[in-house]
Amino acid sequence: MNRLKKIKDDGWPAGVKKTKQRESVLAVLKNSDKPLSAMDIYSKIEKNGSSAWLSTVYRILELMVKKGVVIKTNIMNSEMAVYEFNRFKHKHYAVCMRCNKIIIMDNCPMDKFIPQFKDEEFSVIGHNIEIFGFCKDCK
Amino acid sequence: MNRLKKIKDDGWPAGVKKTKQRESVLAVLKNSDKPLSAMDIYSKIEKNGSSAWLSTVYRILELMVKKGVVIKTNIMNSEMAVYEFNRFKHKHYAVCMRCNKIIIMDNCPMDKFIPQFKDEEFSVIGHNIEIFGFCKDCK
DNA sequence: ATTACTGCAAAGCATTTGCAGACTG
DNA sequence: CAGTCTGCAAATGCTTTGCAGTAAT
């Protein structure tokens, strides 16, 4: 894995110029254990004393997703995408229907599951799973 | 189930006025075996010789979702929501990563699965599952 | 020096909202 | 006839794009 050094040992994607803004975005994502929206990332960068225009944040995120360093998701059909640092760990989230808290699920229902399709052949590459309900504070 | 007659025998939600536009929207959804976007629905209504302004379609969909007659989903993190008539059948979709074809999956990985959470209690209400890969025409 | 990246402004797209007139029960 | 729903227009919120100046290798 990682034989071609697509991602360098320090976690920086190969062939990508280092700039203050890019380092800020990646640092914010590395320091978070929850997925963040572009706006969240923008705010945290400002709070850290740095700066990066919102459109720049979007461009950086798009690049990092393409490089495989960052994962983009839409949680609970929200209109806002969230991004997280790719730690190459397989995981899923449970989302509280009242407070939107995100809880990491430790096991995966797809582990021993063979999907069955109606008529069609289909080669499975991956899956998204999202559980919803109420967290202990909300119910 | 349906003891309180929240949904009438003809499939119309109780206490909801019948209008030309609402009947058109629901008819389009009933006649489709795939989830449709608001725009799809709008186009199909026009094609049928009726009409309903796009914002009206959105308002009707929102109402029908609230009444439990329609299900809203965001497939493959697309920015566009899709809607389907609620046939009260539990199912999941597989989506082709190239042509976006939607294929219905016949079994559900959550059937015999007990989720485990890190630290937190969580009462599960439901789940979304989405499989992605390539359909037989695309690979 | 050359090429790529960012600030900034403005556009884009799906969806929502406000209002006055039209329609349903 | 009272109250709700719709057409229409305009606003919204997230995200993308174009361009000219700035910075990285």
Side-chain angles (χ1 to χ4, degrees), chain B residues 88-115:
Chain B
F88 295 96
K89 270 189 230 149
H90 188 80
K91 67 181 164 184
H92 297 292
Y93 295 123
V95 187
C96 177
M97 295 168 79
R98 180 167 299 135
C99 71
N100 289 316
K101 195 188 309 176
I102 293 170
I103 292 160
I104 294 161
M105 202 165 78
D106 287 329
N107 53 349
C108 169
M110 295 296 289
D111 274 350
K112 290 163 198 153
F113 180 75
I114 296 142

Side-chain angles (χ1 to χ4, degrees), chain B residues 17-19 38 54-55 58-59 79-81:
Chain B
K17 266 185 198 169
K18 283 199 181 184
T19 66
L54 188 54
S55 53
Y58 276 109
R59 268 189 285 231
E79 71 290 349
M80 209 164 51

Side-chain angles (χ1 to χ4, degrees), chain A residues 5-117:
Chain A
K5 290 280 182 193
K6 281 190 190 163
I7 297 172
K8 292 191 173 172
D9 295 332
D10 62 352
W12 196 264
V16 170
K17 267 186 198 170
K18 282 198 182 185
T19 67
K20 186 167 53 59
Q21 295 84 340
R22 288 176 177 184
E23 293 182 297
S24 300
V25 169
L26 221 49
V28 166
L29 288 175
K30 271 187 187 174
N31 291 332
S32 172
D33 56 337
K34 302 268 151 78
L36 301 173
S37 71
M39 192 42 130
D40 291 338
I41 297 166
Y42 171 80
S43 312
K44 294 207 183 222
I45 291 173
E46 300 275 298
K47 206 173 293 175
N48 293 350
S50 302
S51 84
W53 213 244
L54 187 54
S55 53
T56 303
V57 171
Y58 275 108
R59 269 190 283 232
I60 292 171
L61 288 169
E62 187 190 8
L63 172 72
M64 293 302 179
V65 168
K66 198 174 300 171
K67 293 291 176 184
V69 185
V70 167
I71 298 167
K72 176 181 182 179
T73 334
N74 277 62
I75 283 183
M76 284 304 284
N77 298 333
S78 126
E79 69 292 349
M80 209 164 51
V82 290
Y83 302 84
E84 66 189 303
F85 188 71
N86 186 358
R87 295 174 215 278
F88 294 97
K89 271 188 227 150
H90 188 80
K91 67 181 164 185
H92 298 293
Y93 295 124
V95 187
C96 178
M97 294 168 80
R98 180 166 300 135
C99 71
N100 289 315
K101 196 189 304 175
I102 294 169
I103 292 161
I104 294 161
M105 202 166 77
D106 287 330
N107 53 348
C108 170
M110 295 297 288
D111 274 351
K112 290 162 199 153
F113 180 76
I114 295 141
Q116 283 158 18
F117 300 105

